[in-house]
Amino acid sequence: MDFPLLATPLLLLLCLIFVLHDHTTTTMVEAKTNNVHIVYMGEKQHVDPDFVTDSHLNLLAKIVGSKERASELMVYSYRHGFSGFAAKLTESQAQDIAELPGVVRVIPNSLHRLQTTRTWDSLDLTTQAPSNLLHKSNNGDGVIIGIFDTGIWPESKSFSENGLGPVPSRWKGVCESGESFDPTKHCNQKIIGARWFVKGFLAEYGKPLNASGEIEYLSARDANGHGTHTASTAAGSFVGNVSYKGLANGTARGGASNARVAVYKVCWNFQGGQCSSADILKAFDKAIHDGVDVLSLSIGFQIPMFSDVDERNGIATGSFHAVARGISVVCAAGNSGPSAQTVQNTAPWILTVAASSIDREFLTSITLGNNKTLTGKAIYDGRGVGLTGLLYPESNGLDPTASGVCEALQLNQTNVAGQVVLCFTSMTRPVTIMSAAAAVKAAGGVGLIVAKHPTSGLYPCPGDFPCIEVDYEVGTKILFYIRSTRIPLAKLSPSKTVVGRPLSAQVAQFSSRGPNSIEPAILKPDITAPGVNVLAATSPHDRFADGEFVMHSGTSMSTPHISGIVALLKALHPTWSPAAIKSALVTTAWRTSPSGSPIFAKGSPPKLADPFDYGGGIVNPNAAADPGLVYDMDMADCIHYLCAMHYNNSVISQLTGNVTNCPIRKLSVLDVNLPSIIIPSIRSTSITVTRTVTNVGAQNSTYRPTIEPPSGIVVSVRPDVLTFNSTVKKVSFKVTFSTTLQMNTQYLFGSLTWSDRVHFVRIPLAVRTEMFQPYGDEY
């Protein structure tokens, strides 16, 4: 779901984009005298968590007068992954605490909102192949995936423990009891952790949770269905003979079906899904303590975003501490596409995921009375509609097409009864189709054909009412047929599932695009995975559910695909860092569909996809298992980035837990060791950047470069041979860019590939030439 951003003077509501694309909800939280504030104190300074909490109470007591009052006002103590607390404070108290020693920043709490039978086969992770990543990693056995979302429906077959061994001995997490959730019944060898965090949300909401009228549970149980869907996509067990409305029949499974699931419910079923920064930070704190290996967050923000060191961006702050401890954090890119500069979760230590389609469509035939058959798309498994009347509600007057607009249909019940209705719309949201279908059905119609710009994702109309989407070209052909005959007729057939090579992958229209609005030199998104019409488990309260399963679209759906693949890579390569895993995914990704056809980015008009649409490309899990070289990052690289972004020494020191003094010599963000090179501004002079690669392949190997330079850009590499042996594991190289172009406000794209003839380690290049520097700093 994609939600707009609202703000009040005391409370900024951020969109935790429950990336089920395109239902719009507006939320206003009543401001109160005492609002929750997050007191962030950086890396924890003591190993004893009780000592840390006591120090938080003592600090708060200095402001509120007593330790007892401090205990009443404190919402959370962050004491495992980092240090800080959330407390109910007046504005003046918040200002006083901000002046105390050891406090990095005090900021108001924020509310965020939330953002498969074929998908894994489309990525070549078939269960039949004996040597792919699934088998090499034993389906992710022993890896623990933490899911930050709306909870879980534990009775789903997707969370069966059959065939799983004991819980990993290193696991420190627990299953917490709550409403309709009994740990002895609802946790097992698959669901090994279940926590819920609501204090931050309730403190802002100021009312009982059930006051909204929405179904919800004060426990880890999922009323919304979003969390169940993402968890089962990442790590669901095998469930045979699954379909949705009779379509997409097959076996549902998660990417890492032997991985364990730890649930952290941070989002609540209030006006579509609300999640508090205070709750999210506490979930990070607990997840780090519990011992997860991967964290999956189908959550994000709207533009404009907060900086990487602003705790209102709770995901960037929490993920920094998680990644510093070797935990990969995978986040959704957001659902604000196809507009440029809309990508979210842009911190370089986060793995940010865009959404693509797969080689599967749900095609529906429309046969006209002249015996011509046209094709649309729908999720419709009814009996079909036999040859019957076909109507376009054309009116008299200056604008005869006004009554045929889908969102404002003007229907005459006498004319519509028993007919199929054609309408046109420029809107792309599912609600437009739903409202038009309801109007046609209420007037006695038997079906709806909607002519619209092609978009990603399909939803069934209620009551199995046939509502078929066609593009404007097909819609115009149908309209011309209606106008050409006295008695127009049409027959609507049930949808059919079509899979295979004729269908190429596309970046979904809703998927948020780069360049990165915080720092364009950091490529985002990083990678793309299936996120269109993904079939997975859900809660029975999901209004689109068909039994235990549902089909949804969004970067919420693509994110757990990558989380599952990261779990497989962690199982196979347990010593790899989060940055190494990200590099392996980016440098081996497909830039064409697995079938070999080009990847397009849906929009108006569609275009060939580029790195700002898909990052490195569409994820190629088997190749990522053996990338040859990786572009690794450690804390020094993170500090380099933070200094290059001009964050002050005090903030960086608190964040990292070590005294940090950025060098007087200005650092360039271009030299952060990422598996990409993006140069937002180059003039007539050249720019040289440095990268370092680590050999994770054969001990003795030699790599040579292949350069696809951006048009009009000269690219050279030194040295032009990288040699590795038993003593040389890492090699640095420099890439120089120069141009004679005076000005080009558009980015130009290319690539740099190192190869030993076995591995092809490719990184994207993007360059923009400008006569002036719009950012105020030279790169």
Side-chain angles (χ1 to χ4, degrees):
M1 299 180 186
D2 202 348
F3 300 92
L5 184 67
L6 295 175
T8 69
L10 295 179
L11 178 67
L12 190 60
L13 304 183
L14 292 114
C15 294
L16 243 166
I17 304 178
F18 206 77
V19 200
L20 291 179
H21 104 279
D22 223 38
H23 300 274
T24 302
T25 305
T26 300
T27 303
M28 185 69 70
V29 177
E30 180 182 359
K32 302 185 297 299
T33 303
N34 277 38
N35 288 297
V36 175
H37 287 70
I38 297 169
V39 181
Y40 179 65
M41 304 176 70
E43 190 69 18
K44 62 190 178 81
Q45 302 298 314
H46 202 283
V47 295
D48 183 352
D50 293 333
F51 179 91
V52 175
T53 296
D54 196 56
S55 69
H56 295 160
L57 287 170
N58 288 334
L59 187 146
L60 183 55
K62 293 179 182 179
I63 301 300
V64 300
S66 70
K67 206 167 182 179
E68 291 72 20
R69 180 61 177 156
S71 183
E72 293 172 3
L73 295 174
M74 187 170 289
V75 177
Y76 291 119
S77 171
Y78 307 126
R79 59 188 201 158
H80 297 292
F82 48 92
S83 180
F85 58 90
K88 300 174 187 178
L89 303 171
T90 64
E91 289 300 308
S92 62
Q93 288 171 336
Q95 292 171 10
D96 290 342
I97 287 182
E99 301 299 322
L100 295 177
V103 175
V104 178
R105 189 180 292 105
V106 179
I107 50 93
N109 186 27
S110 307
L111 291 184
H112 306 248
R113 280 172 293 170
L114 295 172
Q115 303 264 32
T116 295
T117 53
R118 174 67 185 170
T119 53
W120 297 110
D121 288 350
S122 75
L123 298 176
D124 284 350
L125 286 181
T126 63
T127 55
Q128 290 77 28
S131 59
N132 66 12
L133 178 57
L134 281 182
H135 295 275
K136 291 177 180 177
S137 66
N138 192 18
N139 290 283
D141 190 28
V143 178
I144 302 167
I145 304 177
I147 308 288
F148 285 21
D149 216 297
T150 61
I152 198 163
W153 196 263
E155 291 84 0
S156 171
K157 296 183 183 70
S158 292
F159 306 116
S160 166
E161 65 179 358
N162 290 343
L164 295 177
V167 174
S169 58
R170 58 190 168 82
W171 176 243
K172 299 178 183 177
V174 298
C175 285
E176 297 173 349
S177 61
E179 184 180 358
S180 299
F181 196 95
D182 182 349
T184 62
K185 296 178 181 178
H186 298 132
C187 285
N188 55 19
Q189 307 288 62
K190 168 62 77 173
I191 304 172
I192 65 172
R195 297 185 185 269
W196 48 289
F197 307 88
V198 73
K199 292 178 182 179
F201 171 73
L202 289 181
E204 294 297 350
Y205 183 41
K207 302 175 185 178
L209 189 61
N210 58 10
S212 69
E214 305 274 5
I215 297 173
E216 185 53 287
Y217 303 93
L218 278 171
S219 70
R221 181 171 290 277
D222 182 12
N224 182 287
H226 190 270
T228 301
H229 197 280
T230 56
S232 61
T233 300
S237 302
F238 283 68
V239 183
N241 197 27
V242 171
S243 66
Y244 183 63
K245 304 289 185 181
L247 300 171
N249 186 69
T251 298
R253 60 185 171 98
S257 59
N258 284 349
R260 315 308 170 97
V261 173
V263 178
Y264 299 86
K265 183 175 178 178
V266 296
C267 301
W268 297 87
N269 198 30
F270 171 72
Q271 296 197 357
Q274 296 286 332
C275 332
S276 154
S277 280
D279 296 333
I280 291 171
L281 281 169
K282 186 59 180 176
F284 269 112
D285 186 47
K286 285 292 188 182
I288 291 169
H289 164 269
D290 292 345
V292 301
D293 300 301
V294 184
L295 283 173
S296 185
L297 288 81
S298 292
I299 294 169
F301 301 86
Q302 292 282 27
I303 303 296
M305 296 184 293
F306 296 104
S307 77
D308 305 302
V309 296
D310 191 323
E311 290 72 43
R312 285 170 291 185
N313 186 351
I315 295 174
T317 303
S319 63
F320 180 90
H321 293 286
V323 170
R325 289 160 175 80
I327 301 168
S328 291
V329 179
V330 186
C331 295
N335 290 339
S336 298
S339 298
Q341 297 182 319
T342 53
V343 65
Q344 304 154 27
N345 292 313
T346 58
W349 47 84
I350 290 174
L351 182 47
T352 308
V353 187
S356 63
S357 62
I358 61 170
D359 59 344
R360 179 178 67 191
E361 294 276 20
F362 305 110
L363 303 183
T364 308
S365 295
I366 304 167
T367 303
L368 304 179
N370 59 8
N371 286 325
K372 290 186 177 180
T373 298
L374 304 172
T375 301
K377 297 178 183 180
I379 295 179
Y380 170 58
D381 69 337
R383 297 180 178 180
V385 176
L387 204 62
T388 190
L390 176 62
L391 170 71
Y392 175 68
E394 199 160 11
S395 58
N396 298 319
L398 294 176
D399 189 2
T401 63
S403 56
V405 176
C406 297
E407 56 268 31
L409 282 176
Q410 300 173 30
L411 301 175
N412 182 314
Q413 192 163 354
T414 303
N415 294 337
V416 173
Q419 305 250 18
V420 172
V421 174
L422 169 70
C423 68
F424 284 74
T425 182
S426 60
M427 307 295 286
T428 59
R429 295 180 298 169
V431 67
T432 301
I433 300 173
M434 302 294 176
S435 62
V440 172
K441 189 174 183 181
V446 296
L448 174 69
I449 301 171
V450 177
K452 60 190 285 288
H453 179 74
T455 53
S456 305
L458 293 171
Y459 285 91
C461 285
D464 284 333
F465 189 77
C467 47
I468 301 170
E469 297 182 27
V470 298
D471 63 22
Y472 290 134
E473 180 182 350
V474 172
T476 301
K477 288 180 179 178
I478 296 172
L479 177 59
F480 285 3
Y481 161 71
I482 292 173
R483 290 172 173 170
S484 71
T485 183
R486 191 167 61 87
I487 306 176
L489 302 171
K491 173 186 174 183
L492 307 182
S493 301
S495 303
K496 293 183 178 180
T497 305
V498 177
V499 299
R501 298 180 72 88
L503 303 171
S504 62
Q506 297 176 317
V507 177
Q509 175 155 342
F510 57 77
S511 187
S512 290
R513 312 295 166 88
N516 178 346
S517 63
I518 290 181
E519 175 44 73
I522 304 298
L523 177 63
K524 292 291 175 175
D526 294 301
I527 195 70
T528 301
V532 176
N533 298 328
V534 175
L535 182 59
T538 190
S539 159
H541 300 303
D542 187 331
R543 66 191 178 101
F544 290 107
D546 181 20
E548 292 186 13
F549 290 83
V550 74
M551 195 174 285
H552 280 313
S553 298
T555 52
S556 273
M557 285 64 250
S558 58
T559 298
H561 277 86
I562 295 298
S563 301
I565 293 166
V566 170
L568 299 178
L569 293 173
K570 286 257 185 184
L572 184 63
H573 301 290
T575 62
W576 280 13
S577 70
I581 290 174
K582 178 201 282 192
S583 173
L585 295 171
V586 171
T587 61
T588 60
W590 283 301
R591 289 191 298 170
T592 61
S593 293
S595 62
S597 56
I599 299 173
F600 282 85
K602 295 197 92 170
S604 186
K607 66 180 185 67
L608 282 172
D610 61 51
F612 291 153
D613 302 314
Y614 59 32
I618 295 176
V619 64
N620 182 353
N622 294 315
D626 181 22
L629 305 175
V630 295
Y631 294 76
D632 209 350
M633 282 178 61
D634 56 19
M635 184 59 70
D637 292 285
C638 292
I639 292 173
H640 180 117
Y641 167 76
L642 296 169
C643 289
M645 291 293 289
H646 308 298
Y647 299 134
N648 68 59
N649 291 335
S650 175
V651 168
I652 298 173
S653 298
Q654 293 285 1
L655 187 67
T656 62
N658 295 302
V659 175
T660 300
N661 291 303
C662 294
I664 297 174
R665 176 183 59 86
K666 186 170 63 176
L667 298 177
S668 171
V669 71
L670 298 178
D671 288 325
V672 178
N673 200 45
L674 294 168
S676 60
I677 301 175
I678 313 298
I679 301 179
S681 179
I682 183 174
R683 288 177 256 183
S684 57
T685 56
S686 64
I687 288 181
T688 299
V689 303
T690 301
R691 289 292 185 270
T692 301
V693 286
T694 302
N695 182 24
V696 294
Q699 178 175 281
N700 297 307
S701 53
T702 300
Y703 285 80
R704 291 179 170 81
T706 298
I707 300 170
E708 295 179 8
S711 179
I713 307 296
V714 177
V715 182
S716 61
V717 180
R718 290 290 181 272
D720 58 4
V721 176
L722 306 182
T723 302
F724 300 90
N725 53 43
S726 60
T727 58
V728 179
K729 304 294 184 182
K730 296 187 177 191
V731 176
S732 295
F733 61 90
K734 294 184 181 296
V735 187
T736 299
F737 299 80
S738 60
T739 181
T740 57
L741 297 176
Q742 289 300 303
M743 187 174 184
N744 181 10
T745 58
Q746 301 299 314
Y747 281 90
L748 304 169
F749 300 98
S751 65
L752 166 62
T753 304
W754 290 99
S755 178
D756 62 352
R757 298 187 178 182
V758 175
H759 306 92
F760 297 88
V761 189
R762 184 183 59 251
I763 63 172
L765 309 177
V767 178
R768 181 171 60 177
T769 60
E770 292 195 337
M771 295 175 66
F772 60 93
Q773 173 53 264
Y775 306 102
D777 290 309
E778 293 281 0
Y779 281 93

